[in-house]
C-alpha cells in the first residue's frame, strides 16, 4: 500500500525541468510574434516592447526612447525569459493536479485558457504597477498570449517524462 501511495504521489508531481524548458521556448515564440507584429504589421519600432519590458526592472526611465540599446534589450530578454520560465512552471502546476495533460486537445485548451488569463492579469491587473503596458491591450496581444499558453502547454506535454 505504501509503495502504491508513493507511486501515486510521484506520478502527479509536475516535471519541473520540462515545464521550465516549455516556458522558455514559449517565451521565445512570444517574442518573435511580438517583433513580427510590431515591425511588419503595425509599423512600430521593433525595440518598443523591449523598452517596456526592461522598464519593469530598470524603471520608467527606460521608456524615454524606443531606439536600440544593448542594455535595454539584454534586460528585456532576461526579464522575458525569466517570466516565461516562471509562467511555464505555474502552468505545469495547474495542468498536473487536474490531469489536464491527458490528451493533446485538453492540454491545448488548458494552455489557451492560461494564455488568456495571463493576458488579463498582465494587461489589466499589472498595469496598476506598470501603466505603460495598457497601450498594448488588444487582439494582437491576446493572440500572442493565447499562442504562448498553448505552446507552453503543448511543449510541456511533449517534454514531460511520463
Amino acid at each position: 500500500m505504501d509503495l502504491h501511495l508513493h507511486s501515486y504521489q510521484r506520478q502527479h508531481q509536475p516535471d519541473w525541468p520540462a515545464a521550465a524548458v516549455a516556458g522558455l521556448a514559449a517565451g521565445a515564440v512570444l517574442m518573435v510574434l511580438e517583433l513580427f507584429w510590431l515591425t511588419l504589421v503595425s509599423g512600430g519600432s521593433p525595440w518598443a516592447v523591449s523598452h517596456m519590458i526592461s522598464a519593469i526592472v530598470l524603471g520608467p526611465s527606460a521608456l524615454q526612447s524606443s531606439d536600440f540599446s544593448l542594455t535595454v534589450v539584454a534586460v528585456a530578454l532576461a526579464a522575458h525569459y525569466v517570466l516565461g520560465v516562471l509562467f511555464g512552471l505555474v502552468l505545469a502546476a495547474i495542468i498536473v493536479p487536474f490531469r489536464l495533460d491527458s490528451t493533446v486537445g485538453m492540454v491545448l485548451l488548458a494552455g489557451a485558457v492560461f494564455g488568456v488569463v495571463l493576458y488579463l492579469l498582465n494587461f489589466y491587473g499589472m498595469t496598476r504597477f506598470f501603466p505603460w503596458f495598457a497601450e498594448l491591450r488588444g487582439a494582437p496581444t491576446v493572440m500572442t498570449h493565447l499562442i504562448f499558453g498553448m505552446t507552453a502547454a503543448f511543449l510541456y506535454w511533449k517534454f514531460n517524462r511520463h
Side-chain angles (χ1 to χ4, degrees), residues 58-81:
L58 301 174
S61 64
L63 300 169
Q64 299 301 325
S65 167
S66 63
D67 295 333
F68 176 80
S69 163
L70 185 58
T71 301
V72 165
V73 171
V75 169
L77 283 171
H80 211 278
Y81 281 127

Side-chain angles (χ1 to χ4, degrees), residues 60-159:
S61 64
L63 300 169
Q64 299 301 325
S65 167
S66 63
D67 295 333
F68 176 80
S69 163
L70 185 58
T71 301
V72 165
V73 171
V75 169
L77 283 171
H80 211 278
Y81 281 127
V82 166
L83 291 171
V85 168
L86 175 68
F87 294 140
L89 296 172
V90 169
L91 180 57
I94 294 168
I95 286 174
V96 171
F98 295 104
R99 299 178 191 234
L100 299 175
D101 55 351
S102 58
T103 66
V104 69
M106 184 62 81
V107 82
L108 287 172
L109 178 61
V113 171
F114 182 80
V116 171
V117 169
L118 189 60
Y119 165 80
L120 293 171
L121 289 173
N122 286 342
F123 293 93
Y124 288 90
M126 293 306 292
T127 52
R128 179 178 179 153
F129 306 104
F130 310 111
W132 51 88
F133 284 112
E135 70 184 76
L136 294 179
R137 290 176 183 159
T141 309
V142 172
M143 289 305 297
T144 58
H145 281 72
L146 182 79
I147 292 168
F148 168 84
M150 293 174 74
T151 302
F154 178 75
L155 291 176
Y156 177 74
W157 183 74
K158 289 299 276 184
F159 298 155

Side-chain angles (χ1 to χ4, degrees), residues 2-100:
D2 186 42
L3 179 62
H4 179 69
L5 181 60
H6 178 70
S7 173
Y8 178 79
Q9 289 171 339
R10 183 181 181 103
Q11 184 179 8
H12 295 291
Q13 295 297 316
D15 181 349
W16 299 119
V21 171
L24 189 70
V29 168
L30 178 66
M31 286 191 305
V32 169
L33 290 173
E34 287 172 342
L35 185 64
F36 172 77
W37 178 259
L38 282 171
T39 56
L40 299 178
V41 178
S42 72
S45 168
W47 311 114
V49 173
S50 293
H51 282 270
M52 290 180 180
I53 293 169
S54 68
I56 294 170
V57 177
L58 301 174
S61 64
L63 300 169
Q64 299 301 325
S65 167
S66 63
D67 295 333
F68 176 80
S69 163
L70 185 58
T71 301
V72 165
V73 171
V75 169
L77 283 171
H80 211 278
Y81 281 127
V82 166
L83 291 171
V85 168
L86 175 68
F87 294 140
L89 296 172
V90 169
L91 180 57
I94 294 168
I95 286 174
V96 171
F98 295 104
R99 299 178 191 234
L100 299 175

